[in-house]
Amino acid sequence: MKITLEVDVLTNNNRAAAFNRQLFEETNTLVINIMSSPGAGKTTILEKTIEALANEFRIGVIEGDLATEKDADRIRALGAQAVQINTHGGCHLDARMIAAVLPQFDFQHLDILFIENVGNLVCPSGYDLGQQHKVAVLSVPEGNDKIPKYPTMFMRTELVLLNKIDLLPYLDFDVEQAKEDLSCIHPQSKLLPLSAKTGEGMDEWLHWIREGVARCKKQSISQ
Amino acid sequence: MHEMALMGEIVQLIEQDAQMKKIKYVKKVELLVGTLSNVLPDALQFAFDVYKMQANNCLTMNAELIIHIEKAKAVCAICGSQYEPVTKIAQCPACLLPSGNIVAGETFRILAYEGSLTHENYIGS
Ligand SMILES: Nc1nc2c(ncn2[C@@H]2O[C@H](COP(=O)(O)OP(=O)(O)OP(=O)(O)O)[C@@H](O)[C@H]2O)c(=O)[nH]1
Ligand SMILES: [Mg+2]
Ligand SMILES: [Zn+2]
Ligand SMILES: [Zn+2]
């Protein structure tokens, strides 16, 4: 017996993502999905961001890693709530994993939820988690060629944080070339050079977040 | 191994549907895979074979996977010409700009499956 199904392979993920998105919108929570290759500096950027914004916003973090609570512990050390998801070999977070941990957060008292995806420049970009914003982190030691080499990631993120610019004097990373490559594959996207270590460029990132929170709150007023 | 996770999605979606129809054994699965969908047919086949070997799902040991390929197609936003892009950065051969809107090739769908209610075609241990 032949049965015609005609469904997208990611149907179940997309359904869970829609559920998550509805919750985020109803509670006016800004949700940002941060993706990069391993070690680009996602957790360090989050640490600095939480330190800078702790007095302004209530922040929660979901940490995705193959194993360990290390990244969640780094966030907890700053007093923010962090929930660790271990994927046990899985190379990305999917929307059902997110949905499963959402009850651990008190969304009535949360302004921002950061989701740190598993370190991987390939498939996390294919999974909608229900977030409003996808941000990629690229770091100077990874080299210039990553944007054209991993186009799917950079075509789907609206902001690219170019981290570790304190290392520019020692490496041959060409920032202008990276900007050009990005504008070529995704003209609406933006490259933001910064250093989580020295704090250079962090202000613009914090400004971008503040604008995002303001947009979320405004939606609630107009509703 | 990304295709393993994707095959998990496929098996799960088919099982959801099969359960409603009281289908126990699935003998054939047909997919439509776009050349720009970031999915490798060989790796999918491998993942399918791995799932087949596991007794805890609906696939029979001799189940067949058929992959239909969807060719990529882009339409240039500047000159309107249609062409087959090689990558997602759909460079127009006439304008030499990445100005193409991809209209086909990103699909990754389950088209159909073939199942039976009984054991008859089940050639497994
Ligand atoms: N020089 C320099 N080092 C940095 C900077 N940001 C992060 N690092 C270092 O880079 C290393 C990796 O940083 P993490 O923040 O753990 O990177 P990650 O992306 O969270 O890594 P995974 O979660 O394992 O994928 C650490 O040793 C950081 O101290 C920076 O701006 N400059
Ligand atoms: Mg980390
Ligand atoms: Zn993956
Ligand atoms: Zn053209």
Side-chain angles (χ1 to χ4, degrees), chain B residues 75-81 83 91-97 99-100:
Chain B
V75 179
C76 176
I78 298 168
C79 72
S81 67
Y83 55 97
Q91 186 170 59
C92 172
C95 306
L96 299 179
L97 288 167
S99 47

Side-chain angles (χ1 to χ4, degrees), chain B residues 8-66:
Chain B
E9 301 281 346
I10 291 167
V11 171
Q12 193 183 45
L13 281 165
I14 290 175
E15 271 182 345
Q16 280 172 3
D17 190 76
Q19 246 166 28
M20 288 191 301
K21 303 188 166 85
K22 305 254 187 296
I23 290 169
K24 287 227 168 67
Y25 305 103
V26 172
K27 305 179 289 186
K28 192 179 187 179
V29 174
E30 284 186 58
L31 306 177
L32 182 62
V33 179
T35 53
L36 299 181
S37 66
N38 284 323
V39 186
L40 300 175
D42 284 354
L44 271 182
Q45 182 64 56
F46 174 78
F48 187 76
D49 292 342
V50 171
Y51 270 89
K52 262 164 53 175
M53 294 306 149
Q54 296 171 354
N56 61 354
N57 60 61
C58 60
L59 300 179
T60 61
M61 291 289 266
N62 59 339
E64 196 186 350
L65 178 69
I66 296 181

Side-chain angles (χ1 to χ4, degrees), chain A:
Chain A
M1 158 168 46
K2 180 168 172 166
I3 288 135
T4 308
L5 205 53
E6 281 287 349
V7 289
D8 193 282
V9 168
L10 291 178
T11 298
N12 283 334
N13 184 75
N14 295 341
R15 210 169 279 151
F19 166 87
N20 296 347
R21 181 164 287 120
Q22 191 180 351
L23 174 75
F24 301 152
E25 273 167 20
E26 279 172 2
T27 60
N28 308 303
T29 314
L30 177 71
V31 182
I32 303 173
N33 176 6
I34 301 182
M35 297 172 280
S36 81
S37 46
K42 299 179 291 300
T43 311
T44 311
I45 291 172
L46 284 179
E47 287 171 321
K48 300 295 167 154
T49 305
I50 291 166
E51 280 173 12
L53 298 179
N55 295 328
E56 272 170 79
F57 303 120
R58 296 157 296 183
I59 301 174
V61 178
I62 295 175
E63 284 289 346
D65 283 292
L66 268 72
T68 80
E69 294 257 334
K70 283 178 191 294
D71 280 2
D73 285 340
R74 285 168 62 183
I75 301 297
R76 289 176 194 134
L78 301 169
Q81 187 186 0
V83 173
Q84 181 80 51
I85 298 175
N86 283 146
T87 58
H88 305 291
C91 44
H92 57 266
L93 290 176
D94 72 38
R96 284 154 295 181
M97 300 174 190
I98 300 298
V101 301
L102 291 185
Q104 296 184 47
F105 291 94
D106 174 8
F107 280 95
Q108 299 307 330
H109 299 99
L110 202 66
D111 301 307
I112 308 172
L113 177 67
F114 290 106
I115 302 173
E116 178 180 336
N117 220 308
V118 178
N120 176 351
L121 222 37
V122 188
C123 60
S125 72
Y127 288 80
D128 182 8
L129 304 182
Q131 76 288 306
Q132 294 102 337
H133 302 283
K134 289 182 176 179
V135 172
V137 180
L138 175 67
S139 64
V140 166
E142 291 170 68
N144 250 124
D145 55 0
K146 294 303 169 289
I147 293 175
K149 267 189 183 169
Y150 297 89
T152 359
M153 174 60 73
F154 298 101
M155 285 172 100
R156 287 175 177 158
T157 49
E158 62 187 275
L159 182 67
V160 179
L161 304 178
L162 175 62
N163 189 29
K164 311 195 188 181
I165 55 167
D166 55 291
L167 300 177
L168 279 173
Y170 314 103
L171 297 158
D172 59 1
F173 195 99
D174 183 342
V175 180
E176 288 313 307
Q177 181 65 45
K179 281 185 178 166
E180 206 178 303
D181 289 341
L182 186 64
S183 77
C184 182
I185 67 164
H186 190 180
Q188 295 81 24
S189 177
K190 204 178 153 190
L191 189 92
L192 212 166
L194 58 80
S195 165
K197 189 175 175 178
T198 66
E200 191 184 347
M202 284 290 286
D203 280 346
E204 208 174 328
W205 159 239
L206 299 175
H207 177 71
W208 185 86
I209 296 171
R210 286 190 184 101
E211 280 187 342
V213 175
R215 259 195 312 274
C216 280
K217 304 289 173 204
K218 205 147 101 206
Q219 266 160 15
S220 74
I221 293 163
S222 67
Q223 261 163 21

